[in-house]
Amino acid sequence: MDATWLLFTLGVALVFSKLGDHIMERFELPGVLGEILMGMILGNLIYFGLISPEYLTLHSNETFEFLARLGIIFLLFLGGLDTDVEMLKKTGAVATVSTLLGVFVPLILGYSGLKLMGYPSREAFAGGVLLTATSIGITVRVMMDLGVLRSEVGAASLSASVMDDFLGIALIIFAVGTGSILGLISKMAVFFIITGLVAWYSIDKYLRFVEWLHVEKGILGMVLALMFLFSALAEHWFDAAIEGAFMAGLVLSRLPEGKRIMEDVRAIGYGFLVPVFFVYTGAMLDLRVFTSFDAISLAGVLTIIAVVGKVLGRGVGAVIMGWSTKKALQMGIGSIPRTEVALVDLMVAIHGGAIPESDAPKFIAATLIFITISVLITPPLLKWAFKEEVEAMKQGKAQKRVEAVKETKKRIHALKRPRKNR
């Protein structure tokens, strides 16, 4: 592998991501949308043969792909660090009910829709499973940028999306007929005992040990080590490193050290790895799939069910638990995007025989289309859904600035007064 073109690709990806971020924010749209769109532009320059993949290695470089995966790991770690644990406990019941309905409503609708289109039961069920998991990365990024991740809706959306992933893993194992559901449940139990209970009650001792070492950026280094170890455990057992990263952040969120290192982690994430992830996500979206009529018709069904099923499922779950229609809608919109998990489920279903090879190209194209649409519509929809909350926060910050200016003027006046008396 030629490191020259990897470094070139990283430089181009970061420049374009920040330009896209800037352009979207000029139009008062979430910056992440610009990063994804820039990734689409760069990726399709390769797909359409305008640039050789040898020089722009967005698709053909394992190192670039790994760095992109690190981006989503850092993003979920930041999401865990920025989570209000008390709010998470408060919204736990809402998140659980919303998760169950948010998984099974699109699953049933997807299965029914594909059956009506003439697909056999096993293939229709596998197609329905593709619609169950949420791309937590996009929702977390937009909610963090809007400042609403620590709200009730933000906390519930985050925990619901984590549960989504685990349910999705169990459902794809069931659809393909490989692996053991009981074994998976056992691993989940051990994982949460290790990351949730043992780590929760021993993390302060771990950090005291780090402080005793007294080395430069020691806490940051050892905290990142914990994130990677949790991610490795989750990746080994569930192919879901991001869940381990989230749990590491959540465990650290209750301690002052967790908040103290957050800016350092944010600098690494937002300055480097997170934009690489969203450019990589956009680069996966091949616009040539829109030329296949069969794929477009299948994608039309999957997209409508994916959007309506999630919004309806999670929204109804939130309403059942006593939330207002507005908060239920916010919860539902946050569950719309699908990316890497849907693609992983699709590949597992194809390799496991649940989707036959004859239908694989059509399903791959259709999945890419509904992923593209879901990724592009979610950021502006979330900004619209949280418009009142964002405006209220802006007004609150403006009021604090006015009060700070008044207080400063009072202090200056008080300092000048004795001089006049002299």
Side-chain angles (χ1 to χ4, degrees):
M1 181 191 71
D2 189 348
T4 302
W5 297 113
L6 170 62
L7 295 171
F8 174 76
T9 302
L10 283 171
V12 169
L14 288 172
V15 169
F16 273 73
S17 71
K18 294 306 177 184
L19 285 173
D21 204 329
H22 170 73
I23 291 168
M24 288 300 111
E25 289 186 356
R26 287 288 296 271
F27 289 97
E28 297 189 347
L29 290 168
V32 63
L33 184 58
E35 294 172 9
I36 293 168
L37 285 172
M38 286 299 182
M40 285 180 66
I41 292 170
L42 292 173
N44 281 277
L45 288 176
I46 299 169
Y47 287 131
F48 284 92
L50 299 174
I51 294 180
S52 170
E54 179 185 351
Y55 305 128
L56 197 61
T57 60
L58 290 168
H59 304 132
S60 56
N61 192 296
E62 290 183 1
T63 305
F64 187 83
E65 182 181 349
F66 177 72
L67 290 172
R69 291 198 68 195
L70 277 183
I72 185 66
I73 286 170
F74 266 77
L75 184 58
L76 265 293
F77 181 59
L78 280 166
L81 282 174
D82 200 33
T83 298
D84 185 333
V85 176
E86 292 304 316
M87 187 67 75
L88 205 62
K89 292 177 183 177
K90 181 181 175 183
T91 59
V94 178
T96 302
V97 175
S98 295
T99 297
L100 292 172
L101 288 176
V103 166
F104 288 105
V105 169
L107 174 64
I108 293 168
L109 290 177
Y111 172 80
S112 303
L114 291 174
K115 282 289 287 180
L116 288 172
M117 293 178 72
Y119 290 94
S121 296
R122 189 184 182 203
E123 192 172 356
F125 184 81
V129 172
L130 301 180
L131 311 179
T132 59
T134 298
S135 175
I136 189 172
I138 292 172
T139 300
V140 168
R141 169 68 186 273
V142 176
M143 286 188 172
M144 285 182 76
D145 289 351
L146 294 176
V148 296
L149 188 62
R150 294 177 68 84
S151 66
E152 280 189 323
V153 176
S157 295
L158 193 54
S159 52
S161 295
V162 171
M163 288 187 276
D164 262 7
D165 279 359
F166 285 114
L167 277 174
I169 293 165
L171 285 169
I172 200 63
I173 288 174
F174 179 76
V176 174
T178 59
S180 166
I181 297 292
L182 184 60
L184 178 66
I185 293 171
S186 301
K187 287 177 181 178
M188 285 182 182
V190 174
F191 174 76
F192 282 111
I193 288 171
I194 293 172
T195 62
L197 294 177
V198 176
W200 185 268
Y201 291 107
S202 61
I203 189 64
D204 53 341
K205 295 181 179 64
Y206 177 74
L207 292 175
R208 297 292 84 76
F209 168 72
V210 175
E211 289 178 341
W212 175 79
L213 293 176
H214 200 66
V215 293
E216 187 175 355
K217 294 293 182 182
I219 290 180
L220 175 63
M222 296 295 264
V223 160
L224 292 180
L226 188 71
M227 176 192 77
F228 286 128
L229 291 171
F230 278 26
S231 298
L233 183 62
E235 179 70 16
H236 179 64
W237 278 349
F238 320 115
D239 292 325
I242 58 174
E243 320 301 357
F246 172 71
M247 288 302 297
L250 192 64
V251 166
L252 287 160
S253 67
R254 68 186 182 92
L255 299 174
E257 290 83 358
K259 303 302 179 188
R260 204 162 71 220
I261 55 94
M262 191 165 179
E263 284 309 310
D264 286 335
V265 178
R266 191 187 295 274
I268 299 169
Y270 277 73
F272 176 31
L273 294 169
V274 174
V276 168
F277 167 73
F278 285 112
V279 169
Y280 175 76
T281 299
M284 287 193 303
L285 308 175
D286 185 351
L287 297 179
R288 292 176 300 177
V289 299
F290 287 93
T291 61
S292 168
F293 177 77
D294 287 343
I296 289 175
S297 59
L298 177 59
V301 174
L302 292 179
T303 302
I304 292 170
I305 293 173
V307 174
V308 174
K310 272 292 184 182
V311 174
L312 189 64
R314 276 209 191 171
V316 169
V319 170
I320 288 173
M321 297 305 294
W323 277 17
S324 66
T325 304
K326 179 186 174 183
K327 290 167 81 174
L329 181 62
Q330 291 170 337
M331 183 89 169
I333 290 173
S335 67
I336 289 175
R338 317 304 205 270
T339 53
E340 69 287 341
V341 179
L343 288 171
V344 169
D345 286 349
L346 176 62
M347 291 300 109
V348 171
I350 291 170
H351 293 311
I355 295 176
E357 289 187 12
S358 58
D359 285 341
K362 182 167 55 176
F363 266 91
I364 291 171
T367 302
L368 285 170
I369 290 171
F370 94 73
I371 283 174
T372 303
I373 294 170
S374 71
V375 163
L376 294 178
I377 67 173
T378 301
L381 283 176
L382 274 175
K383 184 163 186 179
W384 167 78
F386 284 100
K387 184 178 180 180
E388 290 182 11
E389 288 81 353
V390 172
E391 287 300 321
M393 280 188 287
K394 284 181 180 178
Q395 291 176 7
K397 288 178 181 178
Q399 184 63 34
K400 285 181 181 178
R401 283 196 294 268
V402 170
E403 290 173 359
V405 169
K406 287 181 178 178
E407 184 64 27
T408 302
K409 287 181 178 178
K410 284 182 181 179
R411 289 177 181 176
I412 292 171
H413 184 70
L415 288 170
K416 288 181 177 179
R417 191 177 301 160
R419 294 178 183 176
K420 289 180 179 180
N421 292 337
R422 286 175 191 174

